[in-house]
Amino acid sequence: MLLCVIPHTAQATLNIYTEEWAPISFSVDGQPDGLAVQVVQEIQKRIDNQDPIKIVPWARGWKIITEQPNTVLFTMTRTAERERMFSLIGPVAVGTTNFYALKSSKLNIDSIEGAKQAKAIGVYRSSVEEQLLMDHEFTNLAPSSTPLLSAKQLMKQRIDLWCNANLTAPSILAEAGASIDDVKSLYTISANHLYIAFSQGTPTEEVDKWKEALVSIKADGTFAQIYHRWLPNDAPPMETERIGL
């Protein structure tokens, strides 16, 4: 395969962050891995960027990207508010955001407002799911420091619903000692388009280099290979766009 190297000039040092959110991003023996990690590493190879990828809790990554220039955080769900705050390139994955309950649950939800009848809903702290439900004035949220903790709480019946992306729910449940077959999706809230985000103050030419590299990865088949390695039954998003700042 012919490797397309993106021409580059002197580049900024970037602080690059992701989270524990398998199979999109996670750590193995302290090293980052996963679908989005491998896509970012391929981008870095093509633009000759050697800045390390650091795995941190999402709330910490969110705080840093909202406060410091030259910061990259992935993967970030696209929302109108985030388009006003960051530069986003992608998508690198597409899925849905769902309310999950135990198979035995008697809850019946036919709208996002209907979930307010649940006693407690598990969400990942500072995540797009928490922000979305707070925007809808939910008062029954049970934020946790990791999605794994929410999954465990659901299995132990400490919460009634778990709000999470379909892309990562099977892996998180497996880590919790359960299976996706132990739960059911009661309601799909929205599509979940995942991007690589750049903070305000990051040079626009740096963001453009990353976008050009992502375009080349998708054009030569590398992106599809990575995507099917982690999500073999899903179709990879082949368009590439830069949105936001």
Side-chain angles (χ1 to χ4, degrees):
M1 180 183 297
L2 179 64
L3 181 66
C4 176
V5 178
I6 306 300
H8 64 280
T9 56
Q11 57 187 0
T13 297
L14 298 174
N15 295 305
I16 307 175
Y17 299 97
T18 189
E19 60 177 327
E20 295 281 1
W21 204 47
I24 306 302
S25 56
F26 59 96
S27 58
V28 180
D29 298 327
Q31 298 301 312
D33 203 358
L35 188 160
V37 169
Q38 291 186 354
V39 170
V40 168
Q41 289 173 333
E42 185 66 26
I43 291 173
Q44 290 180 285
K45 183 191 304 181
R46 298 192 185 201
I47 65 172
D48 192 26
N49 176 285
Q50 300 178 16
D51 297 322
I53 299 171
K54 303 167 188 174
I55 294 186
V56 298
W58 182 259
R60 180 182 171 196
W62 179 266
K63 185 175 189 297
I64 295 170
I65 197 173
T66 56
E67 294 177 351
Q68 299 181 15
N70 299 323
T71 299
V72 180
L73 180 63
F74 68 94
T75 54
M76 183 179 287
T77 299
R78 175 182 178 178
T79 67
E81 179 184 15
R82 291 173 174 186
E83 289 179 26
R84 294 189 289 269
M85 297 173 67
F86 311 111
S87 295
L88 305 172
I89 64 167
V92 295
V94 176
T96 58
T97 299
N98 304 324
F99 285 124
Y100 292 97
L102 291 176
K103 275 283 180 67
S104 58
S105 174
K106 298 297 192 288
L107 280 173
N108 184 21
I109 298 172
D110 57 11
S111 68
I112 189 170
E113 292 295 315
K116 291 182 178 179
Q117 66 184 286
K119 292 181 181 178
I121 302 173
V123 290
Y124 188 12
R125 192 180 308 279
S126 297
S127 67
V128 68
E129 293 87 5
E130 182 185 40
Q131 293 169 355
L132 174 65
L133 298 183
M134 288 176 65
D135 287 344
H136 280 80
E137 300 182 341
F138 275 68
T139 59
N140 56 346
L141 303 184
S144 63
S145 58
T146 69
L148 176 60
L149 290 178
S150 290
K152 288 180 175 179
Q153 289 174 338
L154 180 66
M155 300 314 299
K156 294 178 180 179
Q157 301 183 54
R158 294 176 181 170
I159 57 175
D160 303 305
L161 294 175
W162 175 37
C163 189
N164 198 79
N166 70 315
L167 296 175
T168 58
S171 295
I172 295 168
L173 286 166
E175 191 176 356
S179 164
I180 193 67
D181 294 329
D182 295 324
V183 303
K184 56 186 176 182
S185 175
L186 293 187
Y187 184 74
T188 295
I189 301 171
S190 62
N192 192 20
H193 292 73
L194 302 175
Y195 287 71
I196 302 167
F198 299 79
S199 62
Q200 294 186 37
T202 304
T204 187
E205 59 270 20
E206 191 70 25
V207 181
D208 286 339
K209 282 192 297 187
W210 280 61
K211 179 193 172 186
E212 291 167 12
L214 181 56
V215 168
S216 74
I217 291 167
K218 292 187 177 184
D220 67 17
T222 304
F223 179 80
Q225 290 177 1
I226 295 172
Y227 205 87
H228 287 138
R229 187 179 305 149
W230 297 99
L231 300 172
N233 299 319
D234 292 11
M238 297 308 295
E239 73 281 6
T240 301
E241 59 183 346
R242 173 180 174 172
I243 54 177
L245 300 178

